[in-house]
Amino acid sequence: MSRKVYVAGKLVPAEQATVSVFDHGLLYGDGIFEGIRVYRRRVFLLKEHIDRLYESALAIRLVIPISPDEMTKAVEETVKANDIVDGYVRLVVTRGAGSLGLDIRRTREPQIIIIADTITMYPQAMYDNGMKLVTATTIRNHPGALSPRVKSLNYLNNILARIEGTDAGMEEALMLNHNGEVAECTGDNIFIVKNGVLKTPDSACGILEGITRNAIIRLAREAGITVEECVLTRHDIFVADECFLTGTAAEVIAIVSLDGRQIGAGKPGPITNDLLERFRRLTRSE
Ligand code: PMP
């Protein structure tokens, strides 16, 4: 079956799904996006993703030409048209095509693109044994320049840090903020466990407020675990009992070392494993 992509208001065969070379999403990275999972044909935490998309739009003064309800339906229709059972949705809204120049008044209609596809996860061995991290020298965008809370189409900040991770032979890299505090990884949020308390950087630390992060905070609190959103430094990670990342694609994955320092027992810890199990249960029920 040919893949169908939603573009310019309708579903078209993937080969015909094209956008203009004058689209400001391409020319300037002017746009926003969401990455969403489908589990057992259901689009997971879709409301949360739609809400974050419209908040990103508000922050960059992009008026999405359809309502959140219409967007929700368009995502669901695209998943159905592609017969996706377990997969991934990429929802993109660009400023649209216009003449050259940064003035947003030079663009016409924002462009909405929805791609529903299969997903490639990290290898199972990484979930079994945990993942190693390095700290990137590239810091996360200063919130006063471009807030990391906006899930924008300009991912160069993260890509530059990810190159450093790849050069070190790793699948992810830790990014600090402009104060030298822990922010997040290039495409995932970070948590530690210390003396039974779950800790993660506060959204004021310059992070994307992950949908998976928020789900894990909720699940942990429901399980009676104390959760603190606070400032963390690399030192806090070195001396943590457990550490893990969260993200739509990664779900929950243990981190067993940072910059050559073993974290905790050097293998996925009991709270990490418990939260992964609770999260997987949520993906089956929500
Ligand atoms: N931080 C960044 C920079 C991201 O791009 C992502 C999404 N890949 C995350 C965190 C995790 O967010 P979510 O749980 O919503 O996927």
Side-chain angles (χ1 to χ4, degrees), residues 218-229:
R218 183 157 52 87
L219 289 172
R221 289 195 169 129
E222 282 167 13
I225 299 169
T226 304
V227 184
E228 286 177 12
E229 295 174 68

Side-chain angles (χ1 to χ4, degrees), residues 215-283:
I216 287 294
I217 290 174
R218 183 157 52 87
L219 289 172
R221 289 195 169 129
E222 282 167 13
I225 299 169
T226 304
V227 184
E228 286 177 12
E229 295 174 68
C230 55
V231 170
L232 294 175
T233 64
R234 274 169 80 230
H235 186 85
D236 292 309
I237 298 183
F238 294 153
V239 301
D241 301 324
E242 298 181 36
C243 179
F244 63 85
L245 305 185
T246 62
T248 292
E251 301 181 330
V252 174
I253 189 158
I255 297 300
V256 293
S257 95
L258 172 66
D259 301 328
R261 281 83 158 176
Q262 178 176 305
I263 299 169
K267 57 180 196 197
I271 294 182
T272 304
N273 286 336
D274 179 53
L275 288 171
L276 173 59
E277 185 45 45
R278 285 174 193 276
F279 183 76
R280 293 219 162 128
R281 233 178 285 145
L282 182 72
T283 67

Side-chain angles (χ1 to χ4, degrees), residues 79-246:
V79 168
K80 213 167 164 194
N82 287 286
D83 199 27
I84 301 287
V85 181
D86 289 295
Y88 184 85
V89 176
R90 173 56 53 93
L91 169 55
V92 180
V93 186
T94 76
R95 190 79 66 179
S99 52
L100 298 179
L102 301 182
D103 187 344
I104 62 171
R105 293 171 301 182
R106 288 168 187 261
T107 56
R108 294 181 292 273
E109 272 277 273
Q111 176 71 268
I112 300 167
I113 301 161
I114 309 172
I115 303 167
D117 211 337
T118 51
I119 181 163
T120 320
M121 307 254 308
Y122 289 127
Q124 183 58 39
M126 284 204 170
Y127 290 89
D128 297 340
N129 307 326
M131 205 164 135
K132 295 179 177 179
L133 278 188
V134 280
T135 307
T137 60
T138 306
I139 63 162
R140 194 73 175 94
N141 280 334
H142 191 298
L146 171 60
S147 172
R149 292 182 69 181
V150 176
K151 197 161 168 63
S152 93
L153 284 185
N154 196 320
Y155 251 55
L156 272 177
N157 177 220
N158 312 58
I159 290 165
L160 292 177
R162 175 60 208 259
I163 289 171
E164 296 184 50
T166 307
D167 285 349
M170 293 172 194
E171 292 289 327
E172 254 292 13
L174 178 68
M175 299 184 80
L176 306 178
N177 67 14
H178 54 284
N179 294 323
E181 301 152 356
V182 171
E184 58 182 337
C185 289
T186 67
D188 299 291
N189 292 110
I190 190 161
F191 286 78
I192 61 165
V193 177
K194 183 72 177 173
N195 299 328
V197 176
L198 188 62
K199 299 184 183 190
T200 194
D202 185 80
S203 71
C205 292
I207 61 165
L208 179 77
E209 224 182 278
I211 306 291
T212 320
R213 167 193 185 273
N214 291 349
I216 287 294
I217 290 174
R218 183 157 52 87
L219 289 172
R221 289 195 169 129
E222 282 167 13
I225 299 169
T226 304
V227 184
E228 286 177 12
E229 295 174 68
C230 55
V231 170
L232 294 175
T233 64
R234 274 169 80 230
H235 186 85
D236 292 309
I237 298 183
F238 294 153
V239 301
D241 301 324
E242 298 181 36
C243 179
F244 63 85
L245 305 185
T246 62

